[in-house]
Amino acid sequence: MDLGILAQQIFNGLMLGVIYAMIAVGFSLFFGVLDIIKFSHGDVVTVGAFSGLGAVGLAGGLVVFSPALALAAGLAAAVAMGSLAGILIGRLLVMPLRHAPAVNVLLATLMAGTVLRETIRLGVPNGGNPKPFPALLPSGTIATGSFSVGIDSVMILCAGLSLVFATHLLITRTRLGLSIRAVAQDGEIARLSGIDFQRVVLGTFALGSALAAFAGCMLGLYYREINFSMGVLLGIIGFASAVIGGLGSLLGPIIGGFLFAGVQTLVVVLLPFSSAYKDVVAFAAIIVLIGFFPTGLIAERRSERV
Amino acid sequence: MSIIPASVPRLPMVRLQRYPRMVVVVIVSLLFLGGGLMVHAESQIQVLGLLAAFLVVFAFADRTGVGQEISAICSDYGGFANAIALIGALAIAATFREEHYTLLMLATVALFATACIGLNLQLAFAGVVNFAGAAFFVIGSYTAAVLTAYASIPHLAIIVVGGLVTGVLGVVLLLPVLRTRGHYAALVTIAFGLLLRTLLEVNDTFGGPQGMKIRSFSLFGFDFGRTTSLGPLDVSFYLPYAVLSIGLFALAFTLVRRIERSWIGVALDAVRSDETAASVFGLSIARWKVLAFLIGNAIIGAAGAVYGMMNGFVTPNGAGLGESLLLLSIIVLGGLGNFWGAVVAAIVILVIPEKLQAIQEYRLLIFAVLVLCILLFRPSGILPRPLRDLSRFTSTTGAGHE
């Protein structure tokens, strides 16, 4: 195979990987602070994409259209709406249900995702159909030999990587991160040492959801098209990445995200006749991997508390 | 040394308890009359009226002493009530023998309720989450499609094979999960549902997105699809399917009730409520989970096979996550572990949106909100599963009705 095409595929895999990682980090954060899986996370990605689209349209209509300004407005709106959705789900559903059986929480968050998705489908004009996402990033390409990537893709990749890194810094270096880690380790003790439990939990929800919403905008910018049901698959991919990488750490979901994207890209490269099989193979790989690594690649260190 | 207080007799209670079987007959007949009317009703006002009536009845049974007494009698005479219910369901089918649509609805409710019995065995008894219920349902239909097209085996055996194939696939799927704890069953089943749907869509062997045609069910040369008369009576060709579906429901109901009441049920309860404690007592967590998953999926697959043969076709669309969530909503709405609750919830979720065109577009949103409210405010569902009550076996005066 041509080296240039290989490099291009690797680049595509990295692009997808960073988006998956951003979604997966959220799962890991929520699991850390509350030991719950929030399955509406994928639909928060959709909320982000649609708020971004709305804000871009609004900015284009109100002020003189400048792509950079519109993009900033779109991203700000996406992050705001995403965090809001995260906080609402956390406050109204997850906090009241946190002592309920795990199945109830799973079902409740899945249903919350359905509510978000259906609200978008019914609330957005013509919401059932795919929506074009405006191209706001510079459109040039970098080409050497048979390897060519769009400048927009490079920008998306860099933005994603720096955001994941920023999250890492936030968790490890700031006071908020310290409280998140404290709550994740032991909620009761953290509360006894004067940490506002609810605020930390909701803050974590806002943080994870903001990342997901940002990822939604990045997907819109990359594929130039969004639709109301895009979150279902993304949410599951994000969750699968987090589980495969290991829910207990922040590095796990990032590795998992890149791994998942890697498998998908590999399938596309190796089975050129039908890229439709990429999800089939990726999910089959997930099912097999769980058999081999029951607690993820980076194993969770915890003992049974009876 | 039973100090369990004998219930203090109140006047209306005494009178009711003197004729328990009569009470059961009246109550069950009334409920089925209402259910039959609901399935048959055509005007939206009738549907809303019946819905309101049902709400009143449930509130009455839930909140008032007399209502609770009646529910207690009905659950004490469970076997008798179920027999009456079977007669009631068959009576509805006989009454509407010429109405295609009503019978289709009736059979659909019966088959989905049957699938929910399987799902209940997994989730409510063994505590194994299955987010791929619809996928297993569709596997049953595809098995029927392949077998009716390429093999000449009796159709009754096809239902059994459909169940077996589904059950075995389910166990293969569950194997990786057995080494894990927590949320991994959820992930694996969701991933499997997505995987299956995509596979069926891109695969030409199984007809791709168009799906497959399925030959109608025939029993000893009696083709269900061509039935137009039964003796002197004109009947819809859905009538034999309705009867078959009700029969399948009764069979699954009896089977799983037997399992629940047996030592297997006790073992499953133990495994679900505390894995650590159960393994301390020597129960093999993996074995019981596999057993419940196997039987549950076999039931789901058998129901799917009949459903496919009744509809005459199957498409990958039915295997989606949304459909699986619909099945789960039915059992959560109905109350985990309660089979009659699942029937009521199946009517609410499958029939009412068909009748009320106004909410068609909003049905998913309404279900989602409904399930959220149930989870938040009444986590045990419309009709909760009664806790295993062993007190009557310890008290000397307790009446063991069964």
Side-chain angles (χ1 to χ4, degrees):
Chain A
M1 179 184 290
D2 190 356
L3 261 183
I5 294 179
L6 187 67
Q8 186 142 18
Q9 293 293 354
I10 291 176
F11 184 83
N12 287 346
L14 284 177
M15 272 284 318
L16 273 182
V18 76
I19 291 176
Y20 294 167
M22 283 173 74
I23 302 170
V25 163
F27 279 105
S28 190
L29 283 174
F30 309 144
F31 189 76
V33 290
L34 269 189
D35 276 10
I36 58 113
I37 303 293
K38 178 171 153 280
F39 265 125
S40 48
H41 202 49
D43 294 296
V44 173
V45 177
T46 321
V47 167
F50 272 84
S51 327
L53 181 67
V56 168
L58 210 61
L62 288 182
V63 293
V64 184
F65 193 76
S66 127
L69 208 64
L71 182 63
L75 287 177
V79 166
M81 289 300 288
S83 322
L84 184 69
I87 291 174
L88 280 180
I89 291 170
R91 182 72 198 86
L92 299 178
L93 278 181
V94 178
M95 290 296 275
L97 282 178
R98 85 195 133 99
H99 296 301
V103 177
N104 289 20
V105 184
L106 284 181
L107 206 55
T109 51
L110 269 166
M111 288 300 162
T114 308
V115 170
L116 288 181
R117 191 157 66 243
E118 287 294 301
T119 312
I120 290 174
R121 183 171 76 86
L122 299 164
V124 175
N126 203 6
N129 296 327
K131 299 261 166 210
F133 204 89
L136 297 170
L137 294 171
S139 59
T141 54
I142 306 168
T144 49
S146 55
F147 173 70
S148 75
V149 290
I151 293 177
D152 52 350
S153 306
V154 178
M155 288 176 73
I156 294 174
L157 180 62
C158 293
L161 286 176
S162 43
L163 262 179
V164 170
F165 188 63
T167 312
H168 172 74
L169 286 184
L170 183 77
I171 299 289
T172 50
R173 296 285 152 81
T174 64
R175 245 191 116 65
L176 175 67
L178 188 65
S179 355
I180 289 179
R181 279 180 293 144
V183 169
Q185 201 146 57
D186 192 326
E188 289 301 313
I189 304 285
R191 241 186 289 201
L192 287 178
S193 7
I195 289 175
D196 187 339
F197 182 73
Q198 176 158 327
R199 228 164 83 190
V200 171
V201 168
L202 294 184
T204 316
F205 273 72
L207 175 64
S209 305
L211 275 174
F214 199 94
C217 280
M218 284 168 48
L219 276 166
L221 289 169
Y222 183 57
Y223 288 119
R224 304 273 162 76
E225 190 180 273
I226 57 177
N227 71 66
F228 76 97
S229 60
M230 63 195 257
V232 181
L233 195 60
L234 285 168
I236 292 160
I237 290 176
F239 177 51
S241 308
V243 168
I244 286 305
L247 274 170
S249 72
L250 202 60
L251 191 63
I254 299 170
I255 294 175
F258 282 109
L259 194 71
F260 201 98
V263 172
Q264 279 189 332
T265 317
L266 207 65
V267 174
V268 174
V269 175
L270 294 180
L271 302 174
F273 53 88
S274 174
S275 60
Y277 283 103
K278 72 173 190 214
D279 293 335
V280 177
V281 177
F283 281 118
I286 290 291
I287 295 177
V288 173
L289 268 179
I290 283 191
F292 285 113
F293 301 97
T295 49
L297 295 173
I298 297 183
E300 225 176 307
R301 282 191 304 272
R302 64 193 311 170
S303 55
E304 184 76 30
R305 276 177 294 191
V306 182
Chain B
M1 54 147 275
S2 71
I3 323 185
I4 298 155
S7 52
V8 185
R10 274 174 292 156
L11 204 57
M13 245 163 37
V14 172
R15 244 185 270 149
L16 279 174
Q17 275 181 338
R18 201 173 295 162
Y19 312 103
R21 285 171 201 273
M22 189 92 93
V23 172
V24 171
V25 170
V26 170
I27 295 297
V28 174
S29 314
L30 275 178
L31 285 177
F32 269 78
L33 188 68
L37 282 176
M38 180 74 97
V39 175
H40 185 61
E42 268 159 26
S43 84
Q44 308 211 356
I45 296 180
Q46 279 174 358
V47 173
L48 287 177
L50 279 168
L51 202 57
F54 264 103
L55 284 178
V56 171
V57 169
F58 278 123
F60 179 77
D62 200 35
R63 303 264 178 237
T64 65
V66 183
Q68 280 162 2
E69 190 61 30
I70 291 175
S71 334
I73 291 176
C74 283
S75 63
D76 265 357
Y77 287 80
F80 182 67
N82 293 339
I84 299 293
L86 181 64
I87 295 171
L90 292 175
I92 293 175
T95 314
F96 300 117
R97 61 185 171 274
E98 289 178 34
E99 313 269 342
H100 294 306
Y101 190 62
T102 308
L103 288 172
L104 175 65
M105 281 281 121
L106 191 66
T108 307
V109 167
L111 289 176
F112 274 76
T114 309
C116 286
I117 289 179
L119 217 51
N120 257 322
L121 176 66
Q122 299 169 345
L123 181 58
F125 297 171
V128 188
V129 209
N130 183 356
F131 280 110
F136 290 114
F137 197 71
V138 163
I139 289 177
S141 303
Y142 270 99
T143 312
V146 173
L147 288 181
T148 52
Y150 301 113
S152 59
I153 55 174
H155 285 187
L156 213 50
I158 287 182
I159 301 181
V160 177
V161 176
L164 282 180
V165 169
T166 314
V168 170
L169 268 178
V171 168
V172 173
L173 178 68
L174 196 66
L175 286 179
V177 184
L178 293 175
R179 297 185 54 208
T180 66
R181 327 192 70 171
H183 303 288
Y184 301 97
L187 171 65
V188 167
T189 49
I190 288 182
F192 175 72
L194 283 170
L195 190 157
L196 183 83
R197 191 182 161 179
T198 329
L199 191 66
L200 290 174
E201 266 176 3
V202 296
N203 195 312
D204 289 332
T205 323
F206 293 115
Q210 275 85 39
M212 287 182 85
K213 273 192 177 163
I214 310 178
R215 296 253 289 280
S216 61
F217 187 83
S218 68
L219 193 62
F220 310 121
F222 171 68
D223 191 337
F224 279 23
R226 287 163 205 251
T227 309
T228 50
S229 64
L230 210 68
L233 293 169
D234 285 341
V235 295
S236 153
F237 64 94
Y238 282 123
L239 179 66
Y241 282 117
V243 174
L244 177 68
S245 312
I246 293 169
L248 191 65
F249 176 78
L251 199 67
F253 190 104
T254 318
L255 174 73
V256 178
R257 253 300 125 74
R258 289 286 146 222
I259 292 178
E260 183 193 357
R261 298 273 161 85
S262 73
W263 53 282
I264 304 177
V266 179
L268 291 179
D269 272 350
V271 166
R272 181 196 68 242
S273 47
D274 193 334
E275 288 193 5
T276 314
S279 63
V280 166
F281 280 97
L283 293 171
S284 159
I285 310 288
R287 186 198 299 159
W288 292 117
K289 283 189 169 176
V290 163
L291 184 79
F293 209 64
L294 176 75
I295 301 176
N297 276 337
I299 293 173
I300 297 174
V306 175
Y307 188 69
M309 289 197 262
M310 178 173 77
N311 277 337
F313 69 95
V314 57
T315 65
N317 275 341
L321 181 63
E323 281 71 17
S324 296
L325 283 184
L326 207 69
L327 283 177
L328 273 179
S329 331
I330 292 178
I331 70 169
V332 169
L333 270 180
L336 281 182
N338 189 316
F339 305 152
W340 286 119
V343 174
V344 174
I347 292 179
V348 169
I349 282 195
L350 297 171
V351 177
I352 290 177
E354 296 284 334
K355 306 282 179 189
L356 301 176
Q357 267 87 36
I359 66 164
Q360 279 277 23
E361 180 77 357
Y362 301 90
R363 60 187 284 178
L364 265 178
L365 186 62
I366 293 174
F367 292 155
V369 173
L370 196 62
V371 173
L372 279 181
C373 292
I374 293 265
L375 283 172
L376 280 176
F377 303 114
R378 195 183 160 100
S380 48
I382 303 176
L383 298 167
R385 176 189 182 202
L387 278 177
R388 220 173 256 286
D389 178 16
L390 300 177
S391 59
R392 65 180 177 198
F393 296 116
T394 57
S395 83
T396 46
T397 52
H401 286 297
E402 257 189 289

